[in-house]
Amino acid sequence: MFEGWARDLLILIPAFNEELALGSTIDSIREIHTQYPILVVDDGSTDSTTYIARSRGAEVLTLPRHLGLGGAVQTGYKLAFEEEFEYVIRMDADGQHPPEKLGELLEALRRSDSEVVIGSRFVGQLWAAQEGIRGVGTRLFRFLLRPILGRWVYDPTSGFIGVNRKALAVFAAAFPLEYPEIEMLVVLQRTTFRFQEIPCQMRPRSAGSSTLTPKASFYYMVHVMLGFLMNVLRVPAFWTKRDKSA
């Protein structure tokens, strides 16, 4: 699939019914980065997502049915690991993640001892967040994750994420399936992986509409809370710290 490409960085774009936005997203990446392959994982789309991706020169892996975001991302991670890529940077298909920041995420992965680098909208801003229920969820997750991770994570729901090969090996084997960003951070704690956030100003969605309506956002928050609590029960370091401080 990746004949002729160096195995340095793979740009991973999970996509579900993103025919309106995907073309311009790939074009904007290609305007800056021509040396890295782009993999679009089409998560069972019923529109022209696959056609648009291929027409823009991206490699496409089409899933036979809709798996959800986590399943699509893990599929991409598995392929990247099997193809021996050193780094993978995941971007959303809707154009909100600025391609000019790809180089910064890659350099942070290369130069630091972090296994994961997050493009963050709110670095150092404890109370800043999106509007509405999504903002409430972001603030809540910050405070819930603080004792687990031992530090603040300011943008726990960011989907602009870079991983190195060490993290790729873990995520290719096991990855949270439905709403992966929050649970992924708990997995990092269990594996003692390091992460860092770098400032990143997101852009408005280029076309189409988000599936996270207010109702869906509320469901998202409740669902992630349940998954989060189940993961916390499997973090020995957290409970050891609590026992020692009691």
Side-chain angles (χ1 to χ4, degrees):
M1 178 178 282
F2 299 104
E3 290 83 3
W5 292 100
R7 296 305 197 265
D8 183 23
L9 169 67
L10 176 66
I11 300 169
L12 170 63
I13 304 178
F16 176 64
N17 289 342
E18 288 285 3
E19 64 178 5
L20 296 178
L22 182 59
S24 60
T25 296
I26 295 173
D27 289 346
S28 66
I29 295 171
R30 280 285 171 253
E31 288 176 3
I32 303 173
H33 303 285
T34 60
Q35 71 274 43
Y36 304 125
I38 297 173
L39 172 66
V40 173
V41 179
D42 183 351
D43 188 20
S45 296
T46 56
D47 64 2
S48 300
T49 291
T50 287
Y51 172 78
I52 295 294
R54 286 185 174 141
S55 71
R56 294 306 205 277
E59 302 290 346
V60 181
L61 185 61
T62 303
L63 302 183
R65 63 184 180 88
H66 182 57
L67 296 183
L69 178 60
V73 172
Q74 186 183 24
T75 300
Y77 282 161
K78 283 182 177 179
L79 181 59
F81 183 74
E82 291 171 0
E83 292 285 342
E84 300 183 341
F85 280 93
E86 290 298 321
Y87 305 101
V88 174
I89 294 179
R90 171 194 151 196
M91 301 180 68
D92 287 348
D94 58 15
Q96 294 191 68
H97 298 153
E100 58 269 21
K101 284 288 184 176
L102 276 165
E104 290 186 35
L105 263 69
L106 180 58
E107 283 305 303
L109 285 168
R110 284 174 170 163
R111 296 178 181 275
S112 72
D113 59 358
S114 297
E115 284 80 20
V116 175
V117 175
I118 301 170
S120 174
R121 293 161 285 189
F122 312 114
V123 172
Q125 304 175 62
L126 187 58
W127 295 104
Q130 309 98 307
E131 296 181 355
I133 190 68
R134 296 176 70 177
V136 172
T138 295
R139 295 183 184 96
L140 176 62
F141 293 135
R142 280 185 195 136
F143 283 92
L144 289 174
L145 286 165
R146 176 65 176 83
I148 304 295
L149 303 176
R151 54 176 289 193
W152 292 109
V153 53
Y154 294 98
D155 198 354
T157 62
S158 173
F160 195 18
I161 299 169
V163 301
N164 67 10
R165 186 158 180 81
K166 185 176 178 182
L168 189 60
V170 172
F171 293 151
F175 194 73
L177 291 182
E178 191 168 3
Y179 298 113
E181 291 88 2
I182 304 296
E183 296 178 48
M184 179 198 73
L185 291 166
V186 181
V187 172
L188 292 180
Q189 171 65 20
R190 288 208 304 271
T191 54
T192 66
F193 282 177
R194 296 164 293 268
F195 73 93
Q196 64 172 294
E197 293 179 89
I198 66 171
C200 184
Q201 184 66 44
M202 303 301 180
R203 306 185 300 191
R205 168 181 272 273
S206 61
S209 58
S210 173
T211 57
L212 281 179
T213 62
K215 181 178 179 181
S217 295
F218 179 76
Y219 172 79
Y220 169 90
M221 188 168 68
V222 172
H223 185 96
V224 173
M225 277 289 299
L226 293 174
F228 170 84
L229 292 173
M230 291 300 294
N231 269 292
V232 165
L233 295 175
R234 304 203 302 268
V235 182
F238 173 68
W239 295 109
T240 301
K241 291 176 185 176
R242 290 290 299 270
D243 292 342
K244 288 181 178 179
S245 62

